[in-house]
Amino acid sequence: MRATMKHAKSKRIVLGITGGIAAYKAAELARLLVKQGIEVQVAMTEAATHFITPATMQALTGRPVLIDQWQDDKGMSHIHASRAADAIVIAPATADFMAKLATGLADDLLSTLCLARDCPLLVAPAMNKQMWSNAATQRNVQRLLADGVTLLGPASGVQACGEEGMGRMLEPEALALDVVAALQNGTSLQESSLTPALSRGEREQKSTSALNGIKILLTAGPTYEAIDAVRGITNRSSGKMGYAIAQAALEMGAQVTLVSGPVALTPPVGAQVVQVSSVAEMFEAVKAHVAQADIFIGVAAVADYRVAQPSEQKLKKSDASLTLELVPNPDILAYVGGLPNAPFCVGFAAESEKLREHATEKRKKKNIPLLAANLAQSAIGSDNNELVLFDDAGEHLLPRADKLSVARALLQHTATLYLKGK
Ligand code: C5P
């Protein structure tokens, strides 16, 4: 896609510019698109006009720039402009504007135009790295991707503020190629919908990963042990950490089998998912797939006990006290760790106190090379996490961040140890 830029004649786009310093690059983007024979209608937010003048954009595109919702007689410019477009491209898209798009706000001409569209929407984020990694922005990114919006970038690099990290807008040349491809045959759009949780810039960044082709089997989420036909014993695990690890592993090129307990999450695209409920089912699924695995990661909050004799019928209420007999469940991680040709095993430990002490003991007892410990109170159900990794070399802190970032760091560490041991 990078090698040539074929013409996409007679296509029209709306180029939306929002208020970030990368707005100056929109001029070059407009120039490149016009050169390709694309009709470019620029729409700017008021904030964008502080970074680049409408006169510049008008001169480059040969069309008056849309800014004010009320600038035509009937206030209908948003409908006319969006109906005429084959695609809307927002470059740069600020964090604020992405939040608006994600919630469906329409309080200026550009956001109204996006809401009124019946054509693809391509968004090129540009913001400071902290703003990009902020949980709110990441939530908005997920929502936009789920809504079918295509993300172009961002890339990593030096930022206008002097910091370095993820959040730079893709260069105009790269954006122009993506826009042309999207207009011609939907290449970018299809690519993006295949990997909804990952933007193109991120995919490029991760493509050099050490996990290429490595098979990872992981368990995630809670388990459910039946008491009777309608009641059961479970826990508050949301599955978010396990799903984030599955997603990070896919980004890094791994083949992922995700054995998942009952959760309310959409699995990452590309993972082979086995849905289970009880520990017995989880154990069977792990046994069925473990022979092919290079790495096993036990993230699931597996019930230590199950009801000895669950009732097939709903138990009737009575005034007498009720005693449930619980029997121990198999330890899936310990089983995998003890296999003759065991994969490289990573365990999790959710502790409510004495994290280091319990984690060290657990790593020894389960005989696994790497154990990731966290405080149950701050990890379960949360969108953020902080891990302390325990391995032969000692302890390593992965500081508090959103679970996907923590998952990426954990997998980098895992990959290093795994490859060293090969
Ligand atoms: O012993 P504990 O339950 O704290 O160990 C937690 C780790 O062991 C997690 O990685 C969890 O997925 C795994 N585990 C398991 N089977 C069990 C209990 C825990 O795989 N029955």
Side-chain angles (χ1 to χ4, degrees), residues 191-222:
E191 256 186 32
S192 160
S193 66
L194 277 175
T195 320
L198 195 61
S199 70
R200 202 200 60 164
E202 287 175 311
R203 285 204 302 280
E204 280 176 355
Q205 265 230 322
K206 303 286 164 196
S207 62
T208 54
S209 163
L211 288 177
N212 255 338
I214 287 172
K215 298 189 180 77
I216 297 187
L217 173 65
L218 73 145
T219 62

Side-chain angles (χ1 to χ4, degrees), residues 63-101:
R63 289 164 180 270
V65 171
L66 301 172
I67 303 167
D68 181 0
Q69 203 155 3
W70 310 108
Q71 75 196 76
D72 76 357
D73 292 346
K74 306 173 204 75
M76 284 292 148
S77 12
H78 58 288
I79 301 290
H80 298 149
S82 66
R83 285 296 165 275
D86 293 301
I88 299 177
V89 182
I90 311 292
T94 59
D96 174 69
F97 195 76
M98 288 172 67
K100 267 192 202 180
L101 288 177

Side-chain angles (χ1 to χ4, degrees), residues 151-228:
L151 250 73
L152 307 176
S156 186
V158 177
Q159 306 200 304
C161 52
E163 293 179 4
E164 194 163 343
M166 190 64 94
R168 260 174 79 92
M169 188 171 84
L170 293 185
E171 293 305 320
E173 177 76 14
L175 287 176
L177 282 160
D178 277 349
V179 173
V180 170
L183 288 173
Q184 277 175 339
N185 51 21
T187 313
S188 294
L189 302 174
Q190 281 163 15
E191 256 186 32
S192 160
S193 66
L194 277 175
T195 320
L198 195 61
S199 70
R200 202 200 60 164
E202 287 175 311
R203 285 204 302 280
E204 280 176 355
Q205 265 230 322
K206 303 286 164 196
S207 62
T208 54
S209 163
L211 288 177
N212 255 338
I214 287 172
K215 298 189 180 77
I216 297 187
L217 173 65
L218 73 145
T219 62
T223 52
Y224 178 89
E225 297 296 346
I227 295 172
D228 66 14

Side-chain angles (χ1 to χ4, degrees), residues 9-27:
K9 284 217 163 65
S10 312
K11 296 284 187 183
R12 292 173 174 192
I13 66 150
V14 168
L15 174 59
I17 308 175
T18 69
I21 181 61
Y24 79 91
K25 294 187 184 176

Side-chain angles (χ1 to χ4, degrees), residues 151-361:
L151 250 73
L152 307 176
S156 186
V158 177
Q159 306 200 304
C161 52
E163 293 179 4
E164 194 163 343
M166 190 64 94
R168 260 174 79 92
M169 188 171 84
L170 293 185
E171 293 305 320
E173 177 76 14
L175 287 176
L177 282 160
D178 277 349
V179 173
V180 170
L183 288 173
Q184 277 175 339
N185 51 21
T187 313
S188 294
L189 302 174
Q190 281 163 15
E191 256 186 32
S192 160
S193 66
L194 277 175
T195 320
L198 195 61
S199 70
R200 202 200 60 164
E202 287 175 311
R203 285 204 302 280
E204 280 176 355
Q205 265 230 322
K206 303 286 164 196
S207 62
T208 54
S209 163
L211 288 177
N212 255 338
I214 287 172
K215 298 189 180 77
I216 297 187
L217 173 65
L218 73 145
T219 62
T223 52
Y224 178 89
E225 297 296 346
I227 295 172
D228 66 14
V230 294
R231 304 178 181 97
I233 300 171
T234 187
N235 58 64
R236 288 173 46 222
S237 167
S238 63
K240 285 178 190 167
M241 193 67 228
Y243 276 52
I245 292 173
Q247 185 181 316
L250 288 162
E251 284 174 31
M252 294 167 77
Q255 291 174 35
V256 175
T257 303
L258 172 62
V259 179
S260 175
V263 295
L265 297 173
T266 308
V269 175
Q272 184 191 355
V273 184
V274 186
Q275 306 278 5
V276 297
S277 181
S278 65
V279 177
E281 287 171 10
M282 187 172 272
F283 196 22
E284 284 313 306
V286 167
K287 282 199 259 186
H289 291 91
V290 74
Q292 290 87 48
D294 301 304
I295 296 175
F296 174 73
I297 311 180
V299 198
V302 186
D304 292 325
Y305 299 92
R306 68 181 181 279
V307 177
Q309 278 173 335
S311 165
E312 278 183 22
Q313 303 304 326
K314 187 181 171 199
L315 293 172
K316 299 310 280 180
K317 181 164 60 177
S318 84
D319 289 337
S321 61
L322 176 69
T323 305
L324 292 174
E325 191 195 345
L326 301 178
V327 292
N329 270 326
D331 189 316
I332 301 170
L333 179 59
Y335 165 84
V336 175
L339 287 172
N341 282 321
F344 181 89
C345 285
V346 183
F348 264 72
E351 305 295 343
S352 60
E353 55 162 3
K354 297 184 187 157
L355 188 80
R356 180 168 301 120
E357 206 176 309
H358 289 158
T360 310
E361 189 191 310

